[in-house]
């Protein structure tokens, strides 16, 4: 196997077809990073991350600089004898750079996600082998993606819910704003029907009294799972909601690494997790988080950052196939959200949330469309 020869790091602003809004942010573009890894024999692989300060504490600029100055130079020249050796290295790192490279107290799980994917993709292509984790080679037969609704009101919300019903979705996650949760859920339930599995995501909008009141009111409309109702660091408050409501409490921003998951499990502060590759330190680490959550009796949702390309969608499909017991899936939005996707093939869910087929090619199973990549790059650096 060859050594790592060079990295190319880019900041990307891939435009959305329409803004995506929730209680913590409103976005019009991907605001992401793309990392190209080139091996000495000329194989190319890519990694992607979408740093979000309110999710992992990482900004795009800070992540760009950390990768370019502290992490990537230490990987140039490193030899991996096989793809399995790459996986072993990433498993040992478990979603973060070695401590002698980056202080573990510095948030960088999004940064490491780009490294994880780039190495897997490059060395998978170098040896002509698809990236696979775990014993299962295929997606669960009954797996379907949920639709995720942007926070909206009035006619815009009505149109969105009608479209979701016409598209045959039987699961939906509703992004809600602080004071309009019941109104949003009531409208969604009226349009999408009692048979639709609805859940909500508050994106840290409430305090404990507000969450207790709202979760109980939403239960009257068949909502039994609320994602991240409280601030990410309010672990005691989350435990209170689990204990006093008897309803599902899913964590997202509260989870990014192994230590945060163990703390949540120990303090019984959730009943479910939202595992996202871009926030949990890459494909290998996110697989570990999902397996640990299942061992602890938690429900697993495999999620996505808003604005992911087909590269991360391909990685997500590989993850879901490996985990198997995934109750909810969010991702593979493709051209439903992005005006242009710099990777092919395009991985996008179909009618009723039917997933695409598992990537078939070597590495992560995608190839780059250079003209789209160049069009939306806003900053580039090369590390040799």
């Amino acid at each position: 196997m060859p050594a790592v020869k060079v990295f190319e790091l880019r900041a990307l602003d891939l435009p959305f077809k329409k803004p995506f809004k929730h209680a913590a942010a409103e976005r019009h573009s991907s605001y992401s990073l793309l990392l190209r890894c080139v091996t000495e024999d000329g194989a190319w692989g890519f990694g992607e991350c979408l740093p979000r300060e309110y999710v992992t504490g990482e900004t795009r600029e800070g992540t760009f600089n950390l990768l370019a100055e502290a992490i990537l130079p230490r990987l140039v020249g490193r030899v991996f004898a096989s793809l399995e050796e790459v996986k072993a290295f990433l498993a040992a790192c478990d979603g973060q750079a070695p401590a002698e490279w980056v202080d573990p107290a510095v948030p960088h799980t999004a940064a490491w996600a780009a490294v994880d994917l780039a190495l897997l993709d490059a060395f998978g292509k170098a040896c002509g082998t698809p990236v696979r984790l775990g014993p299962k080679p295929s997606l669960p037969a009954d797996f379907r993606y949920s639709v995720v609704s942007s926070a909206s009101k009035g006619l815009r919300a009505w149109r969105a819910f009608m479209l979701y019903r016409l598209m045959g979705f039987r699961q939906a996650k509703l992004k809600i704003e602080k004071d309009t949760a019941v109104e949003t859920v009531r409208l969604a339930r009226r349009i999408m029907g009692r048979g639709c599995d609805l859940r909500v995501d508050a994106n840290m909008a409430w305090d404990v009294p507000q969450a207790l009141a709202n979760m109980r009111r939403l239960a009257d409309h068949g909502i039994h799972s609320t994602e991240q109702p409280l601030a990410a660091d309010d672990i005691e408050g989350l435990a209170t909601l689990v204990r006093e409501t008897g309803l599902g409490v899913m964590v997202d921003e509260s989870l990014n690494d192994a230590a945060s998951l163990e703390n949540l499990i120990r303090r019984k502060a959730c009943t479910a997790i939202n595992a996202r590759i871009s926030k949990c330190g890459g494909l290998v680490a996110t697989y570990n988080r999902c397996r640990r959550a299942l061992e602890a009796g938690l429900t697993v949702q495999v999620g996505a950052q808003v604005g992911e390309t087909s590269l991360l969608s391909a990685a997500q499909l590989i993850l879901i196939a490996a985990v198997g017991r995934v109750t909810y899936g969010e991702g593979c939005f493709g051209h439903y959200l992005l005006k242009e996707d710099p990777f092919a093939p395009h991985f996008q869910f179909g009618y009723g949330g039917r997933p695409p087929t598992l990537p078939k090619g070597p590495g992560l199973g995608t190839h780059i469309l250079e003209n789209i990549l160049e069009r939306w790059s806003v900053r580039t650096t090369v590390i040799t």
Side-chain angles (χ1 to χ4, degrees):
M1 272 293 205
V4 174
K5 180 180 180 181
V6 62
F7 288 104
E8 178 190 76
L9 180 62
R10 293 174 181 259
L12 290 181
D13 284 336
L14 300 169
F16 294 171
K17 288 184 174 179
K18 58 183 179 180
F20 192 91
K21 181 181 180 182
H22 55 72
E26 179 174 342
R27 299 205 172 275
H28 299 260
S29 71
S30 64
Y31 202 69
S32 52
L33 295 177
L34 194 68
L35 177 64
R36 188 195 313 247
C37 174
V38 184
T39 67
E40 285 183 339
D41 66 353
W44 288 3
F46 286 88
E48 178 183 4
C49 68
L50 297 89
R52 302 289 185 253
E53 189 168 9
Y54 60 90
V55 177
T56 63
E58 297 166 81
T59 65
R60 184 170 72 171
E61 181 179 7
T63 301
F64 191 105
N65 294 338
L66 185 69
L67 283 166
E69 298 167 10
I71 296 176
L72 299 179
R74 296 174 182 266
L75 285 164
V76 173
R78 182 158 188 146
V79 177
F80 292 99
S82 65
L83 180 58
E84 291 306 311
E85 189 170 303
V86 173
K87 293 179 185 177
F89 168 72
L90 295 171
C93 292
D94 202 20
Q96 294 178 290
E100 60 270 26
W101 299 6
V102 179
D103 184 342
V106 175
H108 64 282
T109 51
W112 194 252
V115 172
D116 167 283
L117 296 175
L119 291 176
L120 289 170
D121 196 29
F123 283 86
K125 287 173 178 172
C127 69
T129 303
V131 174
R132 295 290 184 267
L133 299 174
K136 294 187 177 181
S138 60
L139 293 166
D142 59 351
F143 174 77
R144 296 293 182 271
Y145 276 103
S146 300
V147 68
V148 181
S149 175
S150 175
S152 57
K153 303 175 184 177
L155 183 59
R156 182 177 175 183
W158 185 90
R159 287 174 173 169
F161 298 149
M162 282 297 297
L163 176 62
Y164 304 153
R165 176 161 184 164
L166 291 171
M167 290 181 68
F169 283 102
R170 303 315 299 156
Q171 294 179 342
K173 184 170 85 174
L174 311 177
K175 296 282 189 176
I176 54 175
E177 296 182 328
K178 183 174 182 178
D179 299 319
T180 59
V182 175
E183 174 187 335
T184 299
V185 167
R186 186 183 294 120
L187 178 63
R189 180 62 74 197
R190 185 180 304 133
I191 295 172
M192 300 187 70
R194 300 298 302 180
C196 186
D197 182 355
L198 296 180
R199 60 195 189 280
V200 299
D201 184 357
N203 283 105
M204 306 177 289
W206 300 324
D207 59 24
V208 171
Q210 291 168 337
L212 287 169
N214 278 298
M215 289 172 65
R216 287 163 175 160
R217 293 177 68 194
L218 292 174
D220 293 337
H221 299 279
I223 303 297
H224 301 292
S225 175
T226 301
E227 185 174 328
Q228 204 61 54
L230 307 177
D233 61 356
D234 190 359
I235 307 304
E236 183 55 40
L238 290 167
T240 298
L241 298 183
V242 171
R243 186 172 59 251
E244 295 192 11
T245 68
L247 298 168
V249 176
M250 183 180 294
V251 292
D252 182 5
E253 288 85 353
S254 296
L255 165 70
N256 53 45
D257 59 13
S260 61
L261 178 57
E262 291 304 323
N263 187 39
L264 289 161
I265 292 171
R266 178 175 57 83
R267 298 175 66 176
K268 299 181 180 179
C270 66
T271 63
I273 66 163
N274 184 8
R276 297 190 274 178
I277 294 171
S278 179
K279 69 155 184 170
C280 290
L283 180 56
V284 172
T286 308
Y287 176 58
N288 291 338
R289 301 295 85 76
C290 291
R291 289 199 307 166
R292 176 67 181 108
L294 289 171
E295 289 173 0
L298 303 178
T299 296
V300 168
Q301 172 177 289
V302 172
Q305 302 283 125
V306 176
E308 291 183 358
T309 72
S310 286
L311 179 74
L312 262 169
S313 294
Q316 187 194 62
L317 290 166
I318 293 167
L319 174 65
I320 292 168
V323 174
R325 287 189 289 153
V326 174
T327 301
Y328 298 113
E330 300 169 357
C332 282
F333 296 113
H335 287 147
Y336 293 124
L337 180 63
L338 293 175
K339 287 184 178 180
E340 292 189 294
D341 188 335
F343 288 95
H346 298 305
F347 291 100
Q348 180 173 298
F349 60 69
Y351 180 83
R354 185 175 296 276
T357 57
L358 202 63
K360 294 186 174 69
L364 296 176
T366 64
H367 62 270
I368 193 70
L369 304 175
E370 295 282 359
N371 60 328
I372 297 177
L373 178 63
E374 293 291 340
R375 183 154 47 246
W376 302 112
S377 295
V378 295
R379 182 184 177 189
T380 305
T381 192
V382 175
I383 298 94
T384 58

